[in-house]
Amino acid sequence: MTEIDQIIRERRSIRAFTSQPVDNALLKEILTTASYAPSGTNTQAWKVYVVTGEMKDKISNAVIEVIENTRKNPELGEQYQETFRYYPTEWVSPYIDRRRQNGWALYGLLGIEKGDKDKMHAQHLRNYRFFDAPVALFFTLNKVLGDGAKLDTAMFMQNLMLSAKSHGLDTCAQAAWNKYHSIVLPLLGAENEILVSAMALGYADTTNIVNTLKPPRAGLDEFCVWKS
Ligand SMILES: Cc1cc2nc3c(=O)[nH]c(=O)nc-3n(C[C@H](O)[C@H](O)[C@H](O)COP(=O)(O)O)c2cc1C
């Protein structure tokens, strides 16, 4: 296995970070490395907002307030819809099985039992604190761009996650934020853009059990078709 193979296999989504700040020069290096991602006709469509400090807290507070209000009054939630459909509206196997398995593995680790809505809600809310990571990233796209720009952004994100890992940092991609684009984008001054995903970035809290989650992968026989 090469070094890069190892980094790819060792990267995992981290859901508890320490408060250790990330050096700005290092952040710039990682973002520059990420920009070597391929993109259709080299359009380099990605755009990333690097958010820390007070602005990060302001965005978190604004979204958490809406989520808490929506919990009390579900009708309020109707106005918060993703700009693009990440997940299917109707789930089928094997995707639903993998999704469930992932959710229960996470809750199992955290000792959250089926039906314990308060604990599930509290864990879900951790997304909106970026799992305490010191750096929040928001990936957006100019509205004029086509669907392919999301592929380009995904490649940029993966490069970023792998480069971060190679520097001892960890990440968690977060589509959870997409539903709240109408709150996040104006705070970033990005009203005319589409929110593709957010990401938490920082140093993993290795003492937190949540970070021991190791989601399995399907074997080649499940997704690979050979023809000759
Ligand atoms: C685009 C994207 C969005 C994601 N959004 C979230 C999220 O909102 N919250 C979360 O906890 N994990 C999120 N994840 C992490 C996935 O749950 C994780 O990648 C998957 O379970 C596989 O685990 P691994 O990344 O540790 O290999 C996201 C992953 C991707 C690629």
Side-chain angles (χ1 to χ4, degrees), residues 11-15 86-87 102 106 123-124 127-128 131 157 161 171-177 196-198 213-217:
R11 181 218 54 80
R12 280 182 291 118
S13 295
I14 288 300
R15 297 185 179 87
Y86 189 116
Y87 294 110
N102 203 50
L106 178 69
Q123 176 57 27
H124 179 64
N127 268 288
Y128 304 98
F131 306 108
M157 288 171 66
M161 291 192 277
T171 52
C172 185
Q174 295 186 278
W177 285 88
V196 180
S197 184
L213 186 70
K214 287 188 183 145
R217 292 301 192 262

Side-chain angles (χ1 to χ4, degrees), residues 88-104:
T89 38
E90 270 183 51
W91 285 91
V92 295
S93 284
Y95 317 110
I96 182 68
D97 314 308
R98 293 176 187 158
R99 178 181 171 86
R100 283 195 183 126
Q101 199 272 338
N102 203 50
W104 291 121

Side-chain angles (χ1 to χ4, degrees), residues 178-228:
N178 294 7
K179 207 171 162 186
Y180 303 101
H181 61 93
S182 61
I183 303 165
V184 174
L185 294 177
L187 288 170
L188 294 172
E191 289 92 334
N192 293 320
E193 294 163 26
I194 291 170
L195 181 58
V196 180
S197 184
M199 188 185 288
L201 183 145
Y203 292 94
D205 177 354
T206 52
T207 64
N208 193 313
I209 196 165
V210 76
N211 289 335
T212 61
L213 186 70
K214 287 188 183 145
R217 292 301 192 262
L220 290 192
D221 55 327
E222 289 195 52
F223 65 88
C224 206
V225 182
W226 305 82
K227 303 264 186 187
S228 58

